[in-house]
Amino acid sequence: MATHSELRDFWEHRLEGDWTESGVGYRALGRPFNSWMYRVREEVFLREVGQLGLRGVSVLDAGSGTGFYVRLWERLGAGDVTGCDMTDAAVERLRGRFPNHRFVRQDVSELDAFEDASFDAASCMDVLFHITDDDRYAAAFRGLGRVVRPGGTLVISENCLQRPEQRGEHQVNRTLETISTLADKAGFDIVRRVPMLMLMNAQVDASLPWRKAWGGLLRAATVTAPTGWLAGALLYRVDRKLVRGRRESPTTELLVLRRREED
């Protein structure tokens, strides 16, 4: 498993060379497919966060990457948006893309650049499962619990396995029990959990034969840009319906958490 410094170098190099949806997404499936996949993510985020009444709030977007979710916060009418990322490659480009917002180089497992209870809401999207060190993963929840004010909102995406944990060099898929426990210790209650994707991502919470079969099919369908675009366009129509009609997902889910009021 890669060390934290190795992971930082990995993402620095990756985003320096590919600051697009494929750079922050499922790179093996190519940019055309990832662009369709992120359209489903966008719809779910706007639907779920849009009903929370967060217009005008101060927001921290932790692990901003390309700024995909910064732009969605703008569309939802958020007030002051601050972003952070562990890479210089992302931060420099984010400052150019969003000159009206603040961006700092800061790892989500540290967050010491921000004061206690300084944000009404925070998001940490498609980031947490890339933290392979368990201590840093727990520290990320503690940090988010510290910077979000009591009564505030945290929105994350995670894989929430109900099967055994899966560990890789650059990603750890943790159990729903682990995620819920750490969120609770950080002062958060999970108020909503919904599918963010269904078929357009690795089936990490499915049986091993299905995971391998579907993963192989996706890679075969996206071997060229044109076929990847077509596969994405077709699965987009399916996934955007499935995420509305299911309560559980075999892949990434969106969680809305509320920071408990202090006693």
Side-chain angles (χ1 to χ4, degrees):
M1 187 175 298
T3 66
H4 180 67
S5 61
E6 289 171 339
L7 283 172
R8 184 177 61 196
D9 291 343
F10 169 82
W11 286 107
E12 190 76 62
H13 177 75
R14 179 159 162 169
L15 294 183
E16 179 66 36
D18 185 8
W19 197 56
T20 69
E21 294 90 341
S22 61
V24 295
Y26 196 159
R27 193 174 191 180
L29 302 184
R31 185 177 180 183
F33 185 90
N34 273 275
S35 295
W36 283 108
M37 184 198 299
Y38 269 85
R39 289 181 64 173
V40 182
R41 283 185 164 105
E42 175 180 317
E43 291 182 14
V44 174
F45 187 90
L46 291 176
R47 183 186 75 230
E48 296 299 325
V49 181
Q51 63 184 308
L52 300 177
L54 298 178
R55 180 172 293 273
V57 302
S58 60
V59 174
L60 171 66
D61 182 55
S64 293
T66 62
F68 180 82
Y69 294 99
V70 173
R71 195 174 298 284
L72 297 188
W73 278 115
E74 287 184 329
R75 288 179 58 183
L76 291 170
D80 176 50
V81 179
T82 298
C84 68
D85 197 273
M86 72 189 301
T87 69
D88 288 320
V91 170
E92 291 174 5
R93 293 172 178 176
L94 287 164
R95 288 170 177 168
R97 177 171 287 181
F98 302 98
N100 295 326
H101 301 309
R102 176 192 177 207
F103 295 95
V104 297
R105 187 174 186 268
Q106 180 82 88
D107 192 298
V108 67
S109 64
E110 296 166 356
L111 298 184
D112 52 12
F114 310 115
E115 297 180 359
D116 293 0
S118 51
F119 298 99
D120 300 313
S123 54
C124 190
M125 305 299 296
D126 312 323
V127 171
L128 291 170
F129 42 74
H130 290 301
I131 302 175
T132 57
D133 182 278
D134 289 340
D135 291 338
R136 284 187 171 272
Y137 186 84
F141 270 105
R142 290 196 302 271
L144 290 165
R146 181 182 62 79
V147 302
V148 174
R149 65 168 178 80
T153 299
L154 172 64
V155 185
I156 67 172
S157 62
E158 255 291 9
N159 289 320
C160 301
L161 299 192
Q162 301 190 59
R163 296 171 182 268
E165 183 180 87
Q166 302 160 11
R167 290 185 171 267
E169 184 177 10
H170 298 122
Q171 181 167 323
V172 174
N173 302 315
R174 295 177 172 87
T175 65
L176 175 60
E177 181 181 6
T178 295
I179 296 164
S180 301
T181 298
L182 290 174
D184 177 68
K185 289 181 178 179
F188 289 106
D189 295 320
I190 298 175
V191 297
R192 188 159 174 78
R193 179 171 63 89
V194 299
M196 195 161 197
L197 294 163
M198 291 295 294
L199 296 174
M200 296 187 78
N201 204 3
Q203 306 286 282
V204 294
D205 204 18
S207 65
L208 183 59
W210 173 248
R211 291 204 322 259
K212 289 187 173 182
W214 187 249
L217 183 61
L218 282 180
R219 287 189 290 275
T222 57
V223 69
T224 68
T227 59
W229 186 95
L230 180 60
L234 293 173
L235 282 175
Y236 164 73
R237 295 175 179 271
V238 177
D239 246 28
R240 68 193 303 259
K241 293 181 179 179
L242 289 178
V243 294
R244 288 178 174 270
R246 300 291 191 277
R247 297 183 60 184
E248 300 280 344
S249 170
T251 183
T252 309
E253 298 178 337
L254 181 143
L255 290 79
V256 176
L257 305 93
R258 183 64 48 82
R259 180 70 168 86
R260 290 192 294 272
E261 298 285 352
E262 295 178 344
D263 295 332

